[in-house]
Amino acid sequence: EKLSSLSLTDSKPGLAVMLVGERKDSQTYVRMKQKACAECGMDSFLEEYKDVEAVTEEALLTKINEWNNDPKVHGILVQLPLPQKIDEATILKAVNPSKDVDGLHPANTAALFNTATHAGTAKLNWKDFTSIPFHIPCTPQGCIELLDRIGMEIEGKNAVVIGRSNLVGLPVAMLLLHRNATVTIVHSRTKNIENVVKQADIVVAAVGRAHMVPKSWLKEGCTVIDVGINSVDAPDTKRGYRLVGDVNYAEAKEVVEYITPVPGGVGPMTIAMLLRNTWNSWRRATGDGKS
């Protein structure tokens, strides 16, 4: 709606995507992101490197530097994973933090993990992501957006995050903490994990194990955000497999108040938050978009 109000003379947000290799899942994700850009009136730029053997780290860095200096590009996304021959950290650090719409640059990560609790520090409004002056990872941001959209009062709630990855587990835990939830992270070394999860008002499952969380782990009336997406054999289907989450949805829906489906729950929110981050970057760069 915001983009539709712009005139033809206004600049438009631009998202540049780097795709290395020919992984089918990565190609699908990139197509979805480009389609979303087109549907909301954003420009998108795709740079593909299909020949993994021929591509060099230097070539990727050169393209990223070009995008860093291109005023038509407001967001840069490097589709992960990268081939083993490429150092992922080097590539991600090369992206200008102000254009790092995936929120994976160390500067953006450090900003997210700054609780700013000491006296005199300016407080951020964590209820309005458009006001945050740096980029937040898209999937964790989408998890919080879902909680907000159902009217969940996060403050004071017991939240359990299952998984401690840099992409989802740790950043979503920090976002919950910024919203004054009491946060516990559980992982493969947690003892009596089911007892810990059972105490949660909010459960975010992001571990990548099909149906790891049964109904018996969940407190009645809790809210579950299932980030996991796993394929399981389904010989009776055309594809021979189906996608399921980390939580046993069929069981869980009998006791929870809210639960996200897989697929179709967190995934679309991730793309929506990517577009929001690109919009925010464009707005900061252009002064609300006026050329």
Side-chain angles (χ1 to χ4, degrees):
E1 291 176 358
K2 293 177 181 177
L3 285 172
S4 66
S5 67
L6 297 177
S7 71
L8 293 176
T9 59
D10 287 323
S11 70
K12 291 197 296 183
L15 174 65
V17 179
M18 176 175 285
L19 177 59
V20 184
E22 296 186 279
R23 285 177 57 116
K24 298 300 182 186
D25 55 347
S26 292
Q27 291 173 332
T28 299
Y29 296 147
V30 168
R31 281 197 301 270
M32 292 168 63
K33 291 164 185 174
Q34 288 191 294
K35 180 182 177 184
C37 283
E39 287 175 347
C40 70
M42 289 186 180
D43 289 331
S44 64
F45 314 95
L46 174 62
E47 192 72 18
E48 290 187 86
Y49 300 84
K50 294 184 178 181
D51 189 345
V52 173
E53 295 301 317
V55 71
T56 65
E57 198 168 282
E58 289 72 22
L60 303 185
L61 292 172
T62 297
K63 174 50 69 173
I64 288 173
N65 185 59
E66 178 185 318
W67 282 339
N68 282 340
N69 293 288
D70 187 341
K72 297 188 300 296
V73 173
H74 304 96
I76 299 172
L77 183 145
V78 178
Q79 184 65 45
L80 301 178
L82 292 171
Q84 287 189 345
K85 63 181 282 188
I86 304 296
D87 184 66
E88 189 174 285
T90 298
I91 299 301
L92 294 178
K93 284 199 295 185
V95 177
N96 185 326
S98 69
K99 295 187 178 187
D100 166 41
V101 288
D102 243 357
L104 300 179
H105 190 283
N108 287 324
T109 300
L112 175 61
F113 278 75
N114 179 6
T115 56
T117 55
H118 51 285
T121 303
K123 305 300 183 186
L124 298 177
N125 181 8
W126 289 99
K127 291 187 176 182
D128 178 12
F129 284 124
T130 63
S131 72
I132 303 299
F134 54 85
H135 292 302
I136 299 168
C138 302
T139 298
Q141 187 180 162
C143 293
I144 303 302
E145 186 72 19
L146 285 167
L147 294 173
D148 285 339
R149 292 299 178 113
I150 63 170
M152 167 69 71
E153 180 56 53
I154 298 173
E155 183 170 336
K157 294 293 193 298
N158 288 324
V160 170
V161 178
I162 307 175
R164 50 180 171 178
S165 72
N166 290 329
L167 292 178
V168 181
L170 294 181
V172 80
M174 283 305 304
L175 289 175
L176 288 163
L177 192 61
H178 284 309
R179 294 288 294 273
N180 298 315
T182 300
V183 182
T184 303
I185 301 174
V186 300
H187 46 78
S188 59
R189 298 294 185 269
T190 301
K191 298 184 184 300
N192 300 317
I193 185 172
E194 61 272 25
N195 293 334
V196 179
V197 177
K198 189 79 172 179
Q199 306 305 310
D201 304 303
I202 300 169
V203 177
V204 180
V207 72
R209 287 181 57 187
H211 289 169
M212 173 184 169
V213 181
K215 176 176 74 172
S216 60
W217 287 22
L218 302 170
K219 180 169 73 173
E220 187 167 353
C222 72
T223 294
V224 176
I225 305 294
D226 194 348
V227 182
I229 183 161
N230 315 281
S231 60
V232 296
D233 292 337
D236 55 328
T237 65
K238 183 177 180 180
R239 293 183 298 181
Y241 69 93
R242 60 190 176 91
L243 299 177
V244 301
D246 292 347
V247 179
N248 189 319
Y249 182 88
E251 290 185 7
K253 68 181 183 179
E254 298 175 4
V255 296
V256 304
E257 184 172 5
Y258 296 101
I259 183 171
T260 58
V262 177
V266 175
M269 290 302 299
T270 297
I271 294 178
M273 297 304 101
L274 173 67
L275 299 182
R276 172 194 272 171
N277 282 353
T278 305
W279 163 273
N280 284 340
S281 181
W282 166 74
R283 183 170 53 84
R284 294 173 197 139
T286 62
D288 286 335
K290 296 302 179 184
S291 17

